[in-house]
Amino acid sequence: EPEVTQTPSHQVTQMGQEVILRCVPISNHLYFYWYRQILGQKVEFLVSFYNNEISEKSEIFDDQFSVERPDGSNFTLKIRSTKLEDSAMYFCASRSPRGGYTFGSGTRLTVV
Amino acid sequence: QKEVEQDPGPLSVPEGAIVSLNCTYSNSAFQYFMWYRQYSRKGPELLMYTYSSGNKEDGRFTAQVDKSSKYISLFIRDSQPSDSATYLCASDGDDKIIFGKGTRLHILP
């Protein structure tokens, strides 16, 4: 069964450093998403991406965040200057043309 | 804006019992309703997907949507220890998924 692949599974970074989280969505999917889950809290929408541009972003997705699809397969989330409160699980998802969403296993980001 | 509300639990039930998990939602425009299962340190995994009001059954799982009361339910029959996980209700609103907080379920052997 096709999967959404995320790397790394766990990233530890120092406050103020830049991080890039990587995702390989399912190949025939057209919509891509990043979600965040702070420990003990709900899975929150960050951003959606379609046709090489952001289609919607939440108020969490401020100027410190950016997304990119640098080639035909990868979809990345960059956090420019990490803060302690950015520590969370970050999930990538892609949506099939028929509407079904598939989530990756997530990257656990720890900011120290 | 709390669009999908869910009791976080934890909910503990003995093996073999019927489990009932519930959510409410606020936006009457929501049409698609989903239940995801999430194991510790893993991504959400789609369990059930329903459109508008009605019931949908898949093996031991039944999803129910009542649009008049904005109520979403998931029933698990003959619960197993392997069903222990967090169950997230969600709705597909405005081309994205909006999740509830999730209910942590513990099936006791």
Side-chain angles (χ1 to χ4, degrees), chain A residues 23-24 30-31 33 48 57 75 85 88 112:
Chain A
C23 171
V24 179
L30 301 177
Y31 287 84
Y33 303 82
S48 57
K57 57 185 180 179
F75 179 50
E85 54 265 38
V112 297

Side-chain angles (χ1 to χ4, degrees), chain B residues 20-79:
Chain B
S20 171
L21 303 170
N22 306 292
C23 284
T24 57
Y25 65 95
S26 57
N27 190 336
S28 55
F30 288 170
Q31 295 281 356
Y32 297 90
F33 305 93
M34 290 145 279
W35 283 95
Y36 283 81
R37 180 172 59 196
Q38 186 179 23
Y39 292 112
S40 182
R41 314 240 167 133
K42 294 288 186 184
E45 168 201 7
L46 181 66
L47 266 183
M48 303 281 288
Y49 182 99
T50 53
Y51 172 72
S52 197
S53 277
N55 291 2
K56 186 173 183 180
E57 194 172 312
D58 184 1
R60 296 184 296 111
F61 297 88
T62 300
Q64 206 169 69
V65 176
D66 182 346
K67 290 201 78 182
S68 62
S69 58
K70 299 194 185 72
Y71 205 76
I72 312 164
S73 301
L74 179 71
F75 300 96
I76 308 174
R77 287 182 298 283
D78 187 24
S79 54

Side-chain angles (χ1 to χ4, degrees), chain A residues 86-109:
Chain A
D86 293 327
S87 295
M89 286 287 288
Y90 287 82
F91 295 107
C92 173
S94 65
R95 179 157 69 110
S96 76
R98 290 177 59 190
Y101 294 79
T102 303
F103 283 80
S105 289
T107 293
R108 184 151 59 105
L109 176 66

